């Protein structure tokens, strides 16, 4: 049994699902609510998911909520948004560790599938990866082969770029369509009053995607074809011209592009595809040096477009881009000539890739030398396969045996994570010196007076005071009561750790 990562981050790792040659037809529509917007130091406190078939017909569902992990200071605004009061944080049936265990079982049971949510690639996927990493579980469960992943927001933006009538949308003050899930659901006739609870948001995602699937039958399968890095690469390495959907400055746009030569069309560091925007006169670029290309890459409009291969890019047939501005006003023969020049010029493509490598290396050299903490190191250093193979055995062991087994891990980060898990779940198992060590580390973090990466007591009180002022001005009594209860809760955590 194994997963094989395909996202350009890791090659292989041992864990619990059998590979399968069958086509992936099921989709897992899922969503999380968290204690903090920081994916490195926050925690998932609620997660819900719906298993659907290729027609988006429901086959199964789940919703889980857990207690806040011991020693963590929550972000008040995050809890206001997802409507999580102190009782929920402290009296849920499941501990955080138990909830992650249940999620892992369900996701393995539902595999193989395409996992997607709403803006999940930027947040939910990052959060669950880091939660599993800190929880001594294989992190890439949603996109390691045989699983794939996509993003409902990417699909909606792509569908809207093709045809703005596909969904009813609100317009913001800048005149751009609003693509927030709650807004889209409400504008298209779906009850959205429960938005920002995990399962309810998953339900809304299914409904909005159902509209897109019904209204754009011809493109639905095209959207899903980029659910893995390998699948995306297969497309742009084969096609001479593609339509790429990108979203920035609040607008969803279509770009007609020619991928670089198949031998040199992938970024050497980030593993993302590279294509030339066909609005640009490519001939003056073909014989430039590496340094000259580096200068050109800084200019706007950009001549080079990035295909984020492992982030479910929207790649469509050339026929869509050729109808969009400014390509629809260009001579088609000129477009095809430029595409041919790009695609067949191996030397030019090699020069561009070399320039990209040098830029990435220069960027790496100027990165902050600040120490990276274990919680934020998931992409800095990979856990040895030998350690990953021990995960199931570690979780199935008694708490006493878990403590003994920590010595078997080669990765020091896992040992630290393991001690904290035991402290939170079975503190009586730890010898006094280790118990005190973990408690002091938590105290040092949450009682810090500095501006930290994680939420401290001081930061919470500052946030709470600002929110009190806001809700006092709005005469929102329920929010003020909510904040008072939360404040009391954080004060009790502070009091406990002041004696550490």
């Amino acid at each position: 049994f194994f997963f094989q990562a395909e996202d350009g981050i890791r090659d292989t790792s041992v864990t619990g699902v059998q590979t399968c040659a069958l086509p992936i037809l099921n989709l897992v529509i899922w969503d999380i609510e968290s204690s903090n917007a920081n994916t490195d130091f926050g925690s998932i406190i609620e997660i819900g998911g719906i298993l659907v078939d290729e027609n988006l017909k429901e086959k199964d569902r789940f919703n889980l909520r857990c207690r806040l992990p011991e020693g963590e200071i929550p972000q008040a605004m995050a809890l206001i948004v997802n409507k999580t009061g102190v009782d929920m944080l402290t009296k849920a049936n499941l501990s955080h560790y138990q909830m992650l265990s249940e999620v892992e079982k369900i996701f393995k049971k539902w595999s193989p599938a395409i996992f997607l949510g709403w803006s999940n690639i930027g947040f939910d996927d990052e959060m669950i990866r880091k939660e599993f990493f800190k929880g001594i579980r294989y992190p890439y469960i949603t996109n390691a082969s045989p699983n794939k992943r996509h993003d409902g927001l990417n699909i909606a933006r792509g569908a809207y770029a093709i045809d703005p009538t596909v969904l009813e949308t609100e317009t913001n003050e800048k005149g751009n369509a609003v693509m927030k899930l709650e807004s889209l659901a409400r504008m298209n006739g779906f009850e959205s009053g429960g938005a920002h609870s995990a399962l309810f948001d998953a339900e809304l995602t299914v409904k909005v995607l159902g509209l897109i699937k019904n209204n754009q039958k011809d493109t639905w399968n095209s959207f899903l074809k980029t659910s893995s890095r390998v699948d995306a690469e297969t497309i742009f390495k084969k096609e001479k011209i593609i339509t790429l959907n990108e979203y920035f400055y609040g607008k969803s746009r279509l770009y007609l592009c020619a991928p670089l030569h198949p031998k040199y069309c992938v970024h050497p560091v980030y593993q993302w595809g590279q294509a030339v925007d066909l609005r640009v006169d490519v001939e003056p670029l073909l014989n430039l040096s590496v340094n000259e290309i580096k200068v050109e890459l800084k200019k706007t409009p950009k001549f080079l477009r990035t295909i984020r291969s492992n982030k479910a890019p929207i790649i469509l047939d050339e026929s869509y881009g050729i109808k969009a501005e400014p390509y629809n006003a260009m001579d088609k023969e000129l477009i095809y000539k430029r595409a041919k020049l790009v695609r067949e010029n191996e030397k030019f493509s090699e020069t561009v890739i070399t320039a990209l490598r040098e830029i990435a290396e220069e960027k790496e050299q100027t990165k902050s030398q600040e120490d990276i903490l274990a919680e934020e190191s998931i992409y800095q250093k990979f856990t040895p396969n030998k350690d990953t193979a021990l995960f199931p055995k570690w979780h199935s062991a008694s708490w006493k045996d878990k403590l003994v087994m920590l010595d078997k891990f080669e990765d020091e980060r896992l040992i630290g994570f393991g001690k904290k898990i035991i402290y939170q779940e079975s503190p009586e198992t730890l010898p006094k010196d280790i118990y005190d060590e973990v408690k002091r580390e938590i105290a040092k973090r949450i009682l810090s007076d500095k501006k930290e990466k994680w939420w401290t007591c001081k930061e919470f009180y500052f946030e709470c005071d600002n929110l009190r002022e806001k809700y006092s001005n709005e005469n929102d009594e329920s929010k003020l009561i909510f904040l008072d209860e939360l404040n009391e809760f954080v004060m009790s955590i502070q009091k406990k750790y002041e004696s550490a």
Side-chain angles (χ1 to χ4, degrees):
F1 293 123
F2 68 94
F3 279 119
Q4 181 169 320
E6 51 69 48
D7 60 0
I9 294 172
R10 176 153 191 158
D11 292 324
T12 59
S13 190
V14 180
T15 190
V17 173
Q18 190 171 18
T19 55
C20 178
L22 296 173
I24 295 176
L25 299 177
N26 290 336
L27 283 79
V28 175
I29 316 294
W30 66 293
D31 185 75
I32 66 168
E33 300 299 335
S34 65
S35 63
N36 196 300
N38 186 316
T39 59
D40 291 319
F41 298 99
S43 297
I44 297 171
I45 52 175
E46 185 185 13
I47 181 166
I50 304 171
L51 179 68
V52 299
D53 64 15
E54 67 271 26
N55 296 312
L56 302 186
K57 183 178 179 182
E58 183 172 329
K59 300 172 75 173
D60 203 356
R61 64 167 52 201
F62 80 95
N63 194 68
L64 300 170
R65 181 177 276 280
C66 73
R67 302 186 291 276
L68 186 71
E70 170 64 34
E72 180 179 330
I73 303 300
Q75 195 174 44
M77 195 64 222
L79 300 183
I80 287 172
V81 169
N82 56 47
K83 305 179 180 74
T84 302
V86 173
D87 275 359
M88 291 180 180
L89 289 179
T90 58
K91 297 179 182 177
N93 290 334
L94 297 174
S95 70
H96 183 256
Y97 174 82
Q98 290 168 335
M99 186 188 73
L100 291 185
S101 176
E102 291 302 310
V103 172
E104 186 175 44
K105 288 175 191 172
I106 293 167
F107 279 6
K108 286 179 178 180
K109 178 184 173 185
W110 286 1
S111 299
I114 298 174
F115 286 73
L116 65 87
W118 198 267
S119 194
N120 57 290
I121 286 179
F123 185 76
D124 303 59
D125 275 25
E126 288 299 308
M127 180 69 88
I128 204 163
R129 281 181 177 183
K130 292 167 183 177
E131 286 278 73
F132 272 34
F133 170 56
K134 293 181 288 185
I136 311 184
R137 303 178 188 277
Y138 179 66
Y140 305 105
I141 190 167
T142 63
N143 72 309
S145 179
N147 291 333
K148 301 184 179 186
R149 69 171 180 169
H150 217 294
D151 193 314
L153 180 58
N154 288 7
I155 292 171
R157 286 170 172 172
Y160 187 84
I162 293 168
D163 177 10
T165 68
V166 68
L167 294 168
E168 293 290 335
T169 63
E170 288 183 294
T171 303
N172 63 20
E173 63 278 3
K174 294 182 179 179
N176 298 325
V178 176
M179 288 287 164
K180 292 180 179 177
L181 179 60
E182 182 277 331
S183 172
L184 285 177
R186 177 167 35 81
M187 292 299 292
N188 287 278
F190 302 122
E191 170 55 44
S192 60
H196 298 300
S197 69
L199 186 59
F200 193 86
D201 281 359
E203 290 174 346
L204 292 186
T205 301
V206 173
K207 290 173 181 177
V208 172
L209 291 179
L211 276 182
I212 295 171
K213 187 177 188 299
N214 290 334
N215 294 339
Q216 285 192 1
K217 292 181 174 68
D218 293 339
T219 53
W220 176 256
N221 287 334
S222 294
F223 292 147
L224 295 181
K225 281 181 179 176
T226 55
S227 298
S228 78
R229 177 181 60 80
V230 173
D231 293 345
E233 277 191 15
T234 299
I235 294 171
F236 65 73
K237 283 184 175 180
K238 183 181 73 171
E239 299 297 334
K240 295 178 180 176
I241 302 179
I242 60 170
T243 298
L244 182 65
N245 174 229
E246 287 191 14
Y247 185 89
F248 55 90
Y249 300 126
K251 291 185 181 295
S252 190
R253 295 175 169 88
L254 298 177
Y255 293 91
L256 195 64
C257 304
L260 295 178
H261 188 279
K263 193 175 174 182
Y264 298 103
C265 63
V266 177
H267 195 292
V269 177
Y270 308 130
Q271 300 298 301
W272 288 340
Q274 304 296 321
V276 171
D277 189 337
L278 291 172
R279 76 176 72 190
V280 175
D281 182 4
V282 72
E283 288 192 62
L285 304 174
L286 295 178
N287 295 309
L288 296 182
S289 67
V290 170
N291 285 334
E292 288 170 331
I293 287 290
K294 286 162 75 173
V295 171
E296 293 298 319
L297 286 169
K298 294 177 181 178
K299 294 180 179 178
T300 52
K302 295 180 179 180
F303 81 83
L304 198 67
R305 294 279 161 202
T306 296
I307 306 166
R308 289 170 174 78
S309 322
N310 63 333
K311 296 183 182 292
I314 300 298
I315 305 175
L316 301 168
D317 183 77
E318 67 176 80
S319 59
Y320 293 97
I322 214 159
K323 296 174 194 169
E325 295 182 354
Y327 312 100
N328 56 3
M330 293 173 60
D331 179 62
K332 285 188 180 180
E333 290 302 315
L334 177 61
I335 288 173
Y336 293 131
K337 178 186 176 184
R338 287 177 177 175
K340 184 177 172 68
L341 286 171
V342 170
R343 192 69 172 168
E344 296 180 359
N345 196 316
E346 186 174 335
K347 183 178 178 296
F348 166 66
S349 296
E350 184 180 10
T351 302
V352 172
I353 292 300
T354 301
L356 292 172
R357 176 187 286 109
E358 290 187 7
I359 291 169
E361 288 171 350
E362 291 162 8
K363 185 178 178 182
E364 187 65 27
Q365 289 170 5
T366 59
K367 278 175 71 172
S368 169
Q369 298 303 305
E370 183 181 357
D371 287 342
I372 299 293
L373 297 169
E375 292 91 339
E376 51 189 348
S377 68
I378 184 171
Y379 302 131
Q380 306 294 321
K381 173 189 170 188
F382 299 118
T383 299
N385 284 342
K386 178 180 78 69
D387 285 359
T388 309
L390 288 173
F391 290 177
K393 189 175 179 181
W394 192 82
H395 288 294
S396 64
S398 67
W399 288 108
K400 185 177 179 180
D401 288 340
K402 280 183 174 68
L403 178 61
V404 174
M405 282 185 65
L406 289 180
D407 288 339
K408 294 182 180 292
F409 287 125
E410 181 183 316
D411 192 330
E412 289 290 331
R413 298 171 301 174
L414 298 179
I415 297 170
F417 295 151
K419 288 177 182 177
K420 189 170 184 180
I421 290 169
I422 297 170
Y423 171 85
Q424 292 171 331
E425 296 291 315
S426 180
E428 67 279 1
T429 301
L430 293 175
K432 188 176 187 305
D433 60 332
I434 297 179
Y435 177 90
D436 290 343
E437 170 197 330
V438 176
K439 189 175 181 181
R440 280 196 300 271
E441 179 58 32
I442 292 173
K444 180 182 173 184
R445 286 193 177 188
I446 69 173
L447 302 179
S448 171
D449 283 334
K450 298 177 183 176
K451 178 77 173 176
E452 303 286 5
K453 300 172 183 177
W454 53 88
W455 226 234
T456 63
C457 293
K458 179 181 178 181
E459 192 69 36
F460 170 84
Y461 297 138
F462 179 73
E463 177 196 23
C464 211
D465 287 344
N466 287 336
L467 288 172
R468 275 201 189 94
E469 183 177 353
K470 167 183 163 62
Y471 294 126
S472 292
N473 292 337
E474 295 174 3
N475 294 316
D476 192 331
E477 191 63 30
S478 64
K479 292 279 197 331
L480 292 171
I481 292 171
F482 183 97
L483 288 171
D484 285 344
E485 291 174 351
L486 201 54
N487 193 85
E488 288 289 326
F489 172 61
V490 171
M491 286 176 67
S492 68
I493 298 174
Q494 179 180 352
K495 184 176 180 181
K496 174 179 178 178
Y497 283 93
E498 280 176 338
S499 62

